[in-house]
Amino acid sequence: MRINVGILLIAAGAILAFAVRHGSGPVNLTVVGIVIMLGGLAGLWLSYRVVNQQRQEDITLIKPGIEEQYDTAPHEYAIEEQIDVTPVAYQEHPAKEA
């Protein structure tokens, strides 16, 4: 909703600044339109800042108890058997003799 209001203010300010050519009176509509556009830009910027600030607070880290389960320290014992994880399509097969 905040972004919509900012875009609405920019559009209304642009209409006043560039489309309306009514020069009589003490109010310069071009200046009023530019001020309204700047207000819309400030509103967009503030809504962007508020949304990103809330997102940073919503980020949760892994709980320490769960993080301990994924320990990457080497095993205490040596692995005796190597496991081949090469896909079957890339493994070298000995040629079959007929």
Side-chain angles (χ1 to χ4, degrees):
M1 184 70 182
R2 296 178 192 128
I3 294 173
N4 294 340
V5 173
I7 292 172
L8 178 71
L9 286 175
I10 292 171
I15 291 170
L16 281 176
F18 306 119
V20 176
R21 295 289 176 217
H22 188 267
S24 64
V27 178
N28 187 351
L29 292 179
T30 303
V31 174
V32 171
I34 290 173
V35 169
I36 291 174
M37 285 192 305
L38 291 175
L41 283 173
L44 281 176
W45 180 76
L46 283 174
S47 67
Y48 173 76
R49 296 281 296 186
V50 167
V51 168
N52 283 340
Q53 184 179 11
Q54 288 174 352
R55 279 193 188 147
Q56 288 178 355
E57 292 173 359
D58 291 344
I59 295 174
T60 57
L61 300 176
I62 298 175
K63 295 179 182 176
I66 295 173
E67 191 173 359
E68 290 175 4
Q69 295 176 6
Y70 298 100
D71 189 16
T72 58
H75 293 286
E76 296 175 5
Y77 56 90
I79 299 175
E80 299 172 9
E81 182 180 327
Q82 294 292 329
I83 300 172
D84 186 17
V85 293
T86 307
V88 176
Y90 296 109
Q91 290 180 355
E92 295 181 17
H93 297 290
K96 295 183 180 178
E97 295 180 19

